[in-house]
Amino acid sequence: MQKKVKICYQQLLIMTKKIRFLFLLIGCFGFAQDTDTQFRFSPSVDYKINKKWKVGFDYRYALEKDVSTFQASVFQFSGEYKINKKMSLEAGYRYTTSFENDNQRLFASFIFDYKIKKFTLSSRTRYQFSTPYFNTTYWNEFKEPNQYLRQKFTVDYNIPKSKASVYFSPEFFIKLETNEVKYHRTRYQFGSDYKLKFGNTIGLSVIYEDRLNPTKTDRFIITTKYNLSIDELIKKLNKKAKKKG
């Protein structure tokens, strides 16, 4: 098991290096001058309490400036309530820390999933509220909170006779300001996940973020991720123990 995980992780690292090199070449041939290549490592763990409730914890270590400089560490706690087989609600808290500043975020999401054979079509509508301090005096005198409405669509395909899946998801960011509501940026993500034994999943994805601003500070984000589903791990271990018994 450990040997398989090690081999898969090494393959992900090789793929990451190749993708990074590819995007650096693309950047040299005409992409926006300020486009930055970034990297994220995102381990996470979740636990399904029952058929309705699930909780999770995510961590992110991020690099920027063509993967040469530390950007931030992100800690996120979330909870999800399943309304029915297709719909669920999610809410959570995120804390981001870096050398320059810290930030806090509250978010709430409505998620809709629809399965068609090997395909899963998903829609996630999220409202987020971000600020360094939950203090009205700070908001009035220094900086208002950043508020966004985010709409994400995902098409996920489970590869037949395989534990792997591939997905594509565009996401649109609408910035909510005091006097106006305006489109801010679009994020395009393409990735793949691979399920291992005992509730383990590894994945690799690439994001291109197209920002609507005069300087065009767009970015590529390469993400490697690992997830452990505790309830799946417990089920597998119990099943294995019963077989031995």
Side-chain angles (χ1 to χ4, degrees):
M1 172 64 185
Q2 292 179 347
K3 192 174 182 180
K4 288 183 178 180
V5 173
K6 188 176 180 181
I7 293 171
C8 290
Y9 183 69
Q10 289 175 344
Q11 292 175 343
L12 280 174
L13 288 177
I14 294 170
M15 290 174 65
T16 301
K17 290 179 180 179
K18 290 181 177 178
I19 292 172
R20 180 192 168 194
F21 178 71
L22 173 63
F23 285 137
L24 286 174
L25 285 179
I26 293 172
C28 293
F29 289 99
F31 266 100
Q33 185 177 358
D34 294 326
T35 299
D36 185 26
T37 302
Q38 302 178 0
F39 175 80
R40 294 174 178 176
F41 171 61
S42 299
S44 62
V45 59
D46 59 62
Y47 177 66
K48 190 175 181 180
I49 301 171
N50 51 43
K51 292 182 179 180
K52 293 288 187 181
W53 289 97
K54 183 171 73 172
V55 293
F57 169 75
D58 299 71
Y59 171 74
R60 179 196 298 166
Y61 181 82
L63 301 173
E64 62 178 352
K65 296 180 181 178
D66 293 332
V67 201
S68 64
T69 305
F70 170 75
Q71 183 187 43
S73 282
V74 180
F75 304 86
Q76 179 173 299
F77 300 89
S78 62
E80 184 176 332
Y81 174 74
K82 200 167 188 64
I83 302 171
N84 52 43
K85 290 183 179 180
K86 296 180 181 179
M87 296 182 289
S88 58
L89 297 173
E90 180 190 33
Y93 167 79
R94 173 182 290 189
Y95 178 73
T96 303
T97 180
S98 67
F99 294 135
E100 296 179 357
N101 52 57
D102 298 336
N103 196 47
Q104 301 181 79
R105 176 185 298 177
L106 298 174
F107 63 88
S109 308
F110 172 74
I111 303 168
F112 180 84
D113 295 322
Y114 184 73
K115 292 186 178 181
I116 307 175
K117 294 183 179 180
K118 293 293 182 179
F119 288 92
T120 300
L121 308 179
S122 301
S123 169
R124 188 191 73 185
T125 305
R126 170 174 290 184
Y127 166 76
Q128 68 181 41
F129 180 98
S130 304
T131 179
Y133 307 102
F134 289 102
N135 186 306
T136 54
T137 302
Y138 176 84
W139 300 344
N140 294 328
E141 296 183 4
F142 296 97
K143 185 180 179 181
E144 291 184 358
N146 286 323
Q147 300 181 69
Y148 283 92
L149 186 64
R150 300 166 56 171
Q151 180 60 54
K152 184 177 183 179
F153 299 101
T154 303
V155 179
D156 188 289
Y157 176 68
N158 291 317
I159 301 173
K161 299 180 181 180
S162 171
K163 294 182 180 180
S165 64
V166 292
Y167 59 89
F168 172 72
S169 59
E171 184 173 14
F172 307 95
F173 289 69
I174 306 298
K175 192 170 186 179
L176 309 176
E177 296 183 341
T178 304
N179 299 320
E180 63 177 333
V181 176
K182 61 182 181 181
Y183 163 74
H184 188 262
R185 64 186 185 271
T186 302
R187 180 179 289 177
Y188 304 94
Q189 183 175 17
F190 177 78
S192 177
D193 291 334
Y194 187 85
K195 292 184 178 181
L196 303 170
K197 294 182 178 180
F198 300 100
N200 294 277
T201 302
I202 56 175
L204 175 67
S205 68
V206 179
I207 296 172
Y208 174 66
E209 191 168 87
D210 183 14
R211 299 189 178 190
L212 185 66
N213 57 28
T215 55
K216 290 297 290 177
T217 52
D218 301 341
R219 57 179 179 167
F220 285 107
I221 307 170
I222 302 167
T223 300
T224 57
K225 68 179 184 180
Y226 165 78
N227 174 259
L228 172 63
S229 177
I230 296 177
D231 54 289
E232 287 294 327
L233 173 63
I234 294 172
K235 286 179 184 178
K236 296 293 184 181
L237 291 176
N238 289 339
K239 190 176 180 180
K240 190 176 181 180
K242 285 182 180 179
K243 285 184 178 180
K244 286 184 177 180

